[in-house]
Amino acid sequence: MDSSNGHKPQTAHRALTGRREPLERICNIVRNGSSHAVFLMAGPGIGKTSVTEAIAERLAGQLNILQIHGSSALAAVPFGVLTPYTGDLSAEESVSPVAVLRSMWTYFEKLKAGRGAPVLLVVDDAHHLDDASAGVLADLISAGWATVVAAARPRPGLPQPLDQLWYDGLAERVDLRPLNRDQIEEVLAHVLDGTVPPATVDAVWHGSGGNPRILDALLHDAAETGVLAKRNGIWILLGALPSDGPQLTAVVTKDHLRRAPEEQEALKLIALAGPVGRKVIEDISGAAVVRSLIDQQMVSESSGIPSELSMWNALFAKAIRNTLSVSRSLQLLERIRAHQDGTALRGEGMLRSVEWAFEVGLRIPDPEMLQAAREALRRFRNDSARTIAAKIRDPALVPLAKAIQARALYNEGMYGPAADLLDACWRQLSGTAEGPAVVLLRAAAHQANGAPLNALAEDMRGHVQQREDGDDPAPDQLLRVVRLLELGGDVDAEALAAEVRDIRNSTSTDAGGEPLRALGEALLAHALAATGRASEGLDSALLAASELPPLEDSLFFYTEFVLGRLVTDYLAMGEWESAERELDNYAASHGPGSATFSGSLQVLRGYSLLRQGRMERAYQVLLPAVEALRLNDPLQLFRFASALGFYVAARLGDSAQAQRLEQDYSDAGAGGPAHELLAAAYSAAAAEYLSRDGKGLAALHTLATTPDATARAGTLLELLAVCWDLGDPSVIPMVQTVAQGVEGRWAQAMLALAARWEEADGDALMETASALEEAGFVNLAREAYARASTLLEQSGERRRSRQAVALREKCDHELGERFREGRFIAAAPAVHLTRREQDIVGLAVQGLTDREIAQRLMVSVRTVEGHLYRTYVKLGVRSRDELESALPK
């Protein structure tokens, strides 16, 4: 495994990455003379200075470049920034607009006489220009004596004389936005040598807010502290992005030094208290200061009533707090409390108030701390949740405080300490509304540590039976939780169905019955899918999802637990798009949770791609997922993920990665029982792809005859599909038999392919292949076309055979697997091109230029150049002329 040492990213400034389009646009406007003024508008740190410097550098050989830098110090001095060009004027003339304009015209004419090129005036921080200087620049533009590129912040914006030009249509405006997620991904692709998984991209994007200046600082600090590390070729975050690193601290300090004292004070207050009522800060610092900070986009305002202020970036706010001493922070807290009604605080504001009190050593009542700890947990601020909950001393609240600490530890992948805390508190909580959640969390923590479920179940059952008192419904509820877990572990669909029916009848109107109903329906959903009744299972999964709203803030991760079963049911039915939609919806609506459960979600995505036959894409998703689960595996999917990764690596011919993942699979403790049979099957198939000695196939046949497999038609059909995929046609009759009893589009597609395969009719196979392709089962269509081409060739229909081959290759291209050989056997070449590299190389071979490729794929020219360069290195060529001959056939 790679360590972070020796694998630090290159954190040179990348502000122009993602800025090629506006840079090219402005340069083209200046070259073409379509306008004599271009205004580049961007917030602080977004990269306008880098763009203006690049413009000056790009056009230096074609124009006479003059550069002006606006300054707040000169904002009140008429013509102050134009002094370098008015040195020959007398004192009286230096304040005359006409004299200044004439002096600049003379200066420009001298420049033109020297080189004969037009003048380009590049103005940075134009929002600081005094009105007199702005008026002269407006006159220069109107007269056509020079072209002006002026960069400014949207707020307060350009001085009125320049702004008027835009309103009059005499100037072009280009807005520079914060980097979006795709642009952040592009930056990281340039900076980091290796694979950057979506979770890392998302964390860096949200942490930096798309601000290039913050992005540079974060990457540098994260690399220096080892938080950003390269593991097995994958860049992952080993913890939260640092807010106290030297680079980010320097950015904050520099920003503060250029601000007026009253703005500095207001920013400190908002960073410490935010979100904080706007009126509170206005009472302390004044309304004008607040308006100024909002105009500068340093502070954002909520749309609620009353409105609240927050720093534009959470890490920037933390960095400000880190610069303050405890005594200074306490002084500011006292100022805030003098103007703030603490009893009205809710949500994030309440949590921040408690955190701030702890930072300065103040004591908070235990009930308030418990409320804040729960709020922190809800926002996945795990460190804060643990810190606050650990300070609670009220004996009546301590058990729940320990459970909160345990869930925070669980979120961070520290399952042993979480289990210890839950062992110490679950009995006291078993009779409360939190009882089911705590019992489930304890079972999950112990199972993550390798403890068998049956031992835990006996322990919990023994305790519950001791406290039965007749009128208390809690014991019965907990016994049912234990019973459901046991039946779920056995994947016993019939017993689960009976248990869930009883739960539905007995708790159908109970407000507190949601935990049992959600758990029971989710476990039943998976069991039904395994037994081939995926359509019924989907109904149960949707019922489980309908119970989730009241459980959003539970100590157990009901939402993610149900999501995994819902997605699995969709995949069992062959509803790929529906599964992807559920994963996307979760990521969009559960941002904080997405970070904790990212590895688990990516495993489900990778599994979906594998089931579709999109092996290259599955490979790119599963390898980072395995590395993420190595750190944090809340849904206990590491062993399953390792098996899937082992399978796709072996199938694609990457023996080194396959052997490493095989070791991961072997070393991992038993995973969740729901996936253990499939994990063993994919591992056996992977071993067969590597060795081709028949042992892996024999192991698959053995698995297919076990009682667990024969009792689960849905799982058995997937095992048979894996055997068939290995080139074993002996399973086809069994596929036909089993598929008839399995619900869903995928089973019907397998049945249709198996039936036509046995008939050995080339024309019928062509029809079936077309239908499969249209239905979205491209991998199955590919095999039908391949079989049809062989049969048609044997019958002498060579034209039709060639047509089948062409359609098979079309499926290969759609699947991203161009390099396959043999029936149902995928083999990748020694050189692996990513999907993006394949797309770019394909267009390059067609003769498109870098710019045409960039426009076609909607990426930057720099991205195209980078991918082509890496492809040259992989293929051992020196130019695009050699590409076509070097590509694997």
Side-chain angles (χ1 to χ4, degrees):
M1 181 186 296
D2 298 339
S3 68
S4 58
N5 295 331
H7 294 279
K8 292 180 180 178
Q10 304 168 14
T11 53
H13 191 62
R14 303 286 171 177
L16 285 180
T17 307
R19 304 308 194 196
R20 301 293 169 181
E21 183 180 348
L23 173 60
E24 293 293 340
R25 180 183 170 191
I26 294 171
C27 288
N28 287 336
I29 292 172
V30 173
R31 289 193 192 100
N32 299 336
S34 57
S35 176
H36 285 293
V38 183
F39 300 149
L40 176 66
M41 312 301 291
I46 300 300
K48 61 183 182 300
T49 298
S50 297
V51 173
T52 56
E53 289 174 352
I55 291 168
E57 182 180 347
R58 180 77 62 88
L59 300 177
Q62 306 164 42
L63 303 170
N64 285 299
I65 309 292
L66 297 176
Q67 291 184 279
I68 294 175
H69 294 277
S71 166
S72 57
L74 294 175
V77 180
F79 309 114
V81 296
L82 303 181
T83 301
Y85 314 110
T86 59
D88 295 336
L89 297 180
S90 65
E92 293 181 357
E93 292 174 324
S94 65
V95 294
S96 166
V98 174
V100 171
L101 187 62
R102 185 184 303 117
S103 177
M104 295 198 69
W105 179 82
T106 303
Y107 192 97
F108 293 166
E109 289 303 303
K110 290 179 181 178
L111 283 178
K112 293 178 183 179
R115 289 185 52 188
V119 174
L120 172 64
L121 200 57
V122 179
V123 186
D124 194 16
D125 285 340
H127 51 279
H128 286 315
L129 290 178
D130 62 279
D131 285 342
S133 296
V136 168
L137 294 183
D139 290 337
L140 289 173
I141 294 166
S142 300
W145 291 351
T147 298
V148 173
V149 173
R153 295 181 183 175
R155 298 178 181 179
L158 290 162
Q160 194 277 331
L162 293 177
D163 214 19
Q164 189 63 46
L165 291 177
W166 182 65
Y167 281 111
D168 293 341
L170 299 178
E172 295 280 348
R173 173 171 169 153
V174 176
D175 287 288
L176 208 58
R177 307 292 184 188
L179 297 173
N180 60 32
R181 188 191 182 283
D182 288 343
Q183 289 168 331
I184 292 289
E185 189 170 18
E186 186 180 350
V187 171
L188 296 180
H190 283 293
V191 174
L192 305 177
D193 177 23
T195 299
V196 186
T200 302
V201 176
D202 289 337
V204 173
W205 178 39
H206 290 300
S208 66
N211 185 296
R213 183 172 58 184
I214 302 297
L215 173 62
D216 272 351
L218 284 180
L219 289 179
H220 181 279
D221 291 342
E224 287 298 316
T225 58
V227 168
L228 180 61
K230 190 177 183 183
R231 300 292 176 88
N232 295 311
I234 313 294
W235 286 97
I236 58 176
L237 290 170
L238 303 181
L241 288 167
S243 61
D244 56 354
Q247 292 291 324
L248 185 58
T249 300
V251 169
V252 171
T253 302
K254 183 178 179 181
D255 178 85
H256 257 47
L257 288 176
R258 66 178 182 80
R259 296 188 178 280
E262 57 272 17
E263 286 190 351
Q264 293 184 31
E265 190 83 346
L267 283 174
K268 291 172 184 175
L269 289 169
I270 297 169
L272 285 162
V276 58
R278 176 171 179 166
K279 186 176 185 304
V280 173
I281 304 301
E282 286 181 338
D283 288 346
I284 298 172
S285 301
V289 171
V290 171
R291 282 196 302 271
S292 174
L293 291 175
I294 293 175
D295 285 344
Q296 296 172 55
Q297 298 178 325
M298 291 301 298
V299 170
S300 60
E301 182 180 15
S302 71
S303 57
I305 299 175
S307 64
E308 292 182 323
L309 302 178
S310 301
M311 292 294 297
W312 72 275
N313 178 278
L315 277 177
F316 199 91
K318 286 184 179 180
I320 290 177
R321 297 199 292 267
N322 291 335
T323 64
L324 299 173
S325 66
V326 172
S327 58
R328 180 65 179 131
S329 182
L330 180 58
Q331 290 175 349
L332 294 172
L333 175 60
E334 291 171 350
R335 294 192 69 184
I336 284 285
R337 286 187 169 183
H339 295 82
Q340 186 180 59
D341 179 8
T343 61
L345 292 174
R346 297 290 183 273
E348 175 77 1
M350 176 273 297
L351 171 58
R352 182 62 210 134
S353 175
V354 173
E355 290 175 332
W356 192 3
F358 279 144
E359 289 165 9
V360 297
L362 297 182
R363 176 67 183 164
I364 302 295
D366 282 359
E368 290 183 30
M369 287 197 288
L370 187 68
Q371 183 185 4
R374 296 211 68 151
E375 183 68 26
L377 193 61
R378 188 176 74 83
R379 297 174 182 275
F380 284 81
R381 299 241 291 263
N382 301 309
D383 184 65
S384 185
R386 287 192 289 111
T387 301
I388 295 172
K391 293 183 179 294
I392 293 174
R393 294 291 178 264
D394 184 341
L397 302 180
V398 165
L400 183 53
K402 287 183 177 179
I404 290 171
Q405 294 176 68
R407 174 60 198 273
L409 288 165
Y410 192 93
N411 288 345
E412 296 172 317
M414 292 185 275
Y415 305 120
D420 291 342
L421 278 171
L422 290 164
D423 286 345
C425 71
W426 78 273
R427 290 178 175 82
Q428 296 97 310
L429 295 171
S430 61
T432 69
E434 299 288 354
V438 172
V439 166
L440 288 170
L441 186 62
R442 178 174 181 251
H446 277 289
Q447 283 186 285
N449 280 330
L453 177 62
N454 57 358
L456 288 168
E458 286 303 317
D459 177 36
M460 290 188 284
R461 186 178 286 109
H463 167 72
V464 171
Q465 290 173 342
Q466 288 177 8
R467 64 183 302 274
E468 287 181 339
D469 55 15
D471 296 328
D472 185 1
D476 180 60
Q477 190 179 48
L478 293 188
L479 283 174
R480 281 192 152 170
V481 169
V482 174
R483 174 70 173 157
L484 287 171
L485 287 177
E486 290 177 318
L487 295 176
D490 294 336
V491 197
D492 189 337
E494 296 306 320
L496 271 170
E499 190 75 18
V500 169
R501 277 195 301 271
D502 189 47
I503 290 172
R504 289 173 184 166
N505 293 333
S506 61
T507 68
S508 60
T509 59
D510 293 353
E514 296 90 356
L516 274 179
R517 293 194 292 268
L519 176 66
E521 299 286 5
L523 291 171
L524 178 59
H526 179 84
L528 288 170
T531 56
R533 297 151 62 187
S535 181
E536 291 182 55
L538 181 60
D539 291 339
S540 286
L542 292 173
L543 283 172
S546 70
E547 302 286 351
L548 292 177
L551 303 174
E552 280 290 334
D553 297 334
S554 172
L555 290 174
F556 183 67
F557 40 91
Y558 290 102
T559 298
E560 294 76 16
F561 185 85
V562 171
L563 175 68
R565 274 68 185 175
L566 180 59
V567 169
T568 300
D569 271 68
Y570 276 127
L571 295 181
M573 296 178 67
E575 302 288 350
W576 322 126
E577 292 181 357
S578 296
E580 190 69 24
R581 183 188 66 243
E582 293 296 336
L583 292 171
D584 288 341
N585 288 344
Y586 174 85
S589 59
H590 294 78
S594 293
T596 295
F597 290 90
S598 172
S600 305
L601 301 182
Q602 290 305 103
V603 170
L604 294 174
R605 290 186 193 277
Y607 182 39
S608 173
L609 292 166
L610 184 156
R611 293 288 301 271
Q612 296 173 59
R614 303 179 187 278
M615 296 298 162
E616 278 284 353
R617 290 182 60 197
Y619 188 54
Q620 294 165 8
V621 171
L622 286 169
L623 260 66
V626 169
E627 295 309 314
L629 293 181
R630 200 185 301 280
L631 298 173
N632 190 2
D633 184 18
L635 297 184
Q636 299 169 45
L637 291 175
F638 180 76
R639 185 172 167 86
F640 183 54
S642 300
L644 297 181
F646 177 25
Y647 177 78
V648 294
R651 183 165 169 165
L652 292 171
D654 190 343
S655 57
Q657 285 280 27
Q659 290 167 3
R660 181 181 65 78
L661 289 161
E662 180 182 21
Q663 191 63 50
D664 282 338
Y665 170 76
S666 300
D667 292 344
H675 300 291
E676 189 60 30
L677 187 58
L678 285 176
Y682 281 108
S683 177
E688 182 66 22
Y689 277 119
L690 283 185
S691 63
R692 290 297 176 187
D693 58 5
K695 293 180 180 179
L697 190 58
L700 276 168
H701 278 274
T702 300
L703 282 172
T705 60
T706 60
D708 283 346
T710 55
R712 305 172 196 169
T715 302
L716 178 58
L717 184 59
E718 190 171 347
L719 294 184
L720 296 174
V722 173
C723 291
W724 193 0
D725 220 20
L726 276 164
D728 177 12
S730 70
V731 300
I732 295 176
M734 196 172 178
V735 167
Q736 289 182 266
T737 301
V738 175
Q740 292 178 22
V742 176
E743 298 174 348
R745 295 171 63 247
W746 176 73
Q748 294 307 305
M750 288 293 293
L751 179 61
L753 177 59
R756 293 302 190 190
W757 197 288
E758 290 284 88
E759 292 172 6
D761 183 332
D763 290 326
L765 268 166
M766 288 289 283
E767 292 178 8
T768 299
S770 177
L772 289 171
E773 186 178 4
E774 185 174 349
F777 299 103
V778 181
N779 58 329
L780 301 184
R782 190 265 174 206
E783 304 311 328
Y785 284 129
R787 170 79 163 158
S789 69
T790 301
L791 294 171
L792 292 169
E793 179 71 23
Q794 291 171 353
S795 63
E797 297 186 49
R798 292 186 176 178
R799 184 188 65 79
R800 291 273 285 156
S801 177
R802 287 195 296 271
Q803 180 187 11
V805 170
L807 291 169
R808 183 204 69 199
E809 291 177 347
K810 175 174 171 286
C811 291
D812 282 343
H813 182 74
E814 184 176 343
L815 293 171
E817 288 190 69
R818 302 184 192 179
F819 319 116
R820 294 176 56 121
E821 57 187 34
R823 183 183 63 201
F824 254 27
I825 298 173
V831 174
H832 297 294
L833 301 182
T834 66
R835 185 68 176 271
R836 177 63 83 190
E837 287 169 349
Q838 292 175 18
D839 293 340
I840 289 174
V841 169
L843 295 174
V845 169
Q846 295 175 29
L848 275 68
T849 66
D850 292 354
R851 184 171 302 284
E852 290 169 338
I853 295 172
Q855 292 172 346
R856 179 79 63 87
L857 299 179
M858 292 185 290
V859 298
S860 70
V861 176
R862 178 75 174 274
T863 296
V864 174
E865 293 169 347
H867 281 301
L868 281 176
Y869 174 76
R870 286 190 285 273
T871 303
Y872 293 166
V873 174
K874 289 181 179 181
L875 298 176
V877 301
R878 290 172 293 180
S879 69
R880 66 171 60 204
D881 295 333
E882 301 173 18
L883 269 179
E884 187 169 7
S885 60
L887 286 174
K889 302 300 183 186

